[in-house]
Amino acid sequence: MKPLKAELMLIVVTMFWGSSYLFMKMGLGTLGEFNLIALRFGLAFILAALLFRKRLRSVDARTLKYGALLGFLLLGVFTCITFGLKTTTTSNAGFLVALTVVFVPLLDVLIFKKKVAPPQIFGAILAIAGIGLLTLNGSLHVQPGDLLCILAAIFYAVQILVTSRAVKSSDSLNIGILQLGFAGGYALILSAVFESPALPSTLPGWIAILALGIFCSACGFILQPVAQKYTTPTRTGLIFALEPVFAAFFGYWFAHEQLSLQGYTGAALVLLGIIASELLGRLHFAPFPARMLKKRRADL
């Protein structure tokens, strides 16, 4: 596969993920929060398991354990997002959850004592300033939904760090499929305890579940690792930074959501912080020969 085709595929995946906030909000009109998560990931798991049923036969105990742990973290991510969408907009949710890119290196420092690059610190400062403008109103009050979306970004960052360790010793595709099944299973149990599990009873509800299950989850989690093999991590990170932009677009176009001037300024700072953390951070940690080559080219 050519890099251009892979990057176009990643843009499509990012567009699916950006639209997911709108579909989740649609589904919440007729379904409970845990019920929505259970249906979304249950459908995604069934589709992925049928497509890769032969691959799943090689699952071992270690892969199963990682799948269970990552499924729990994935449940944490989407529980926070789903409940958060009740008191915040799809635009805010998209930009706040995208802070995962900033939280990953920061948690890497706190948990694994790794060094953090100055560009990543700069990106984090920009993003924090953006959060303030995006979430604080005139009375310096933050909506609970905004806080939940920030917590979702932290959950997602932990999930990414655990995944990076899990794939070193287990099959990455099987882990990806199993985490969908475990997330759906955990959500179904919680739905049975706190809600009344049911299938959608309206057309918007069905559209939301099918879009979330097929496109945003099954296609997204399958296409992402395939496409990433044929492009660079830096390009992948920059493409994923478009997710909140797509979320804001879908929120504006279909839900008629608009940010204030303060909100747009905050969103721009969050996006700049993400790009600075992802792009400049990777350039800073580039191997020494690569940095010298760039310097020599600049001198010519």
Side-chain angles (χ1 to χ4, degrees), residues 31-204:
L31 296 167
E33 291 81 6
F34 293 119
N35 194 6
L36 178 68
I37 297 170
L39 289 173
R40 170 183 181 168
F41 288 107
L43 176 59
F45 171 71
I46 291 170
L47 293 174
L50 287 174
L51 189 60
F52 297 100
R53 56 188 179 279
K54 292 183 180 179
R55 188 77 166 264
L56 284 172
R57 293 173 185 171
S58 62
V59 170
D60 56 16
R62 180 189 292 271
T63 304
L64 204 61
K65 289 178 182 177
Y66 274 126
L69 174 58
L70 291 171
F72 175 78
L73 293 172
L74 206 59
L75 174 69
V77 171
F78 286 94
T79 296
C80 291
I81 295 174
T82 308
F83 278 92
L85 281 169
K86 298 180 73 173
T87 54
T88 193
T89 64
T90 57
S91 303
N92 271 28
F95 280 103
L96 293 174
V97 175
L99 288 169
T100 299
V101 176
V102 177
F103 287 142
V104 166
L106 295 181
L107 288 176
D108 224 4
V109 172
L110 294 173
I111 298 173
F112 300 112
K113 309 301 181 183
K114 291 187 177 181
K115 292 182 179 179
V116 61
Q120 291 173 330
I121 297 174
F122 176 66
I125 293 171
L126 281 178
I128 291 168
I131 290 173
L133 291 174
L134 195 61
T135 60
L136 292 173
N137 55 28
S139 60
L140 300 181
H141 177 70
V142 181
Q143 292 291 338
D146 292 327
L147 293 175
L148 283 172
C149 288
I150 295 171
L151 182 59
I154 297 172
F155 263 114
Y156 211 170
V158 174
Q159 198 259 3
I160 288 171
L161 291 173
V162 174
T163 299
S164 66
R165 291 191 165 246
V167 296
K168 292 178 181 178
S169 58
S170 300
D171 186 285
S172 58
L173 181 60
N174 282 345
I175 286 177
I177 295 171
L178 287 172
Q179 71 175 348
L180 298 176
F182 277 107
Y186 296 146
L188 182 60
I189 293 171
L190 291 172
S191 180
V193 173
F194 298 106
E195 303 166 348
S196 297
L199 293 173
S201 58
T202 63
L203 180 60

Side-chain angles (χ1 to χ4, degrees), residues 205-260:
W206 276 110
I207 291 174
I209 291 302
L210 292 175
L212 288 168
I214 297 172
F215 297 108
C216 303
S217 298
C219 289
F221 279 95
I222 291 171
L223 292 179
Q224 178 200 352
V226 173
Q228 276 191 237
K229 289 182 180 180
Y230 302 96
T231 188
T232 64
T234 300
R235 287 181 177 271
T236 300
L238 290 174
I239 290 170
F240 285 169
L242 293 172
E243 182 181 332
V245 177
F246 282 121
F249 170 78
F250 285 114
Y252 173 81
W253 193 260
F254 295 102
H256 308 294
E257 295 177 352
Q258 294 189 36
L259 296 174
S260 63

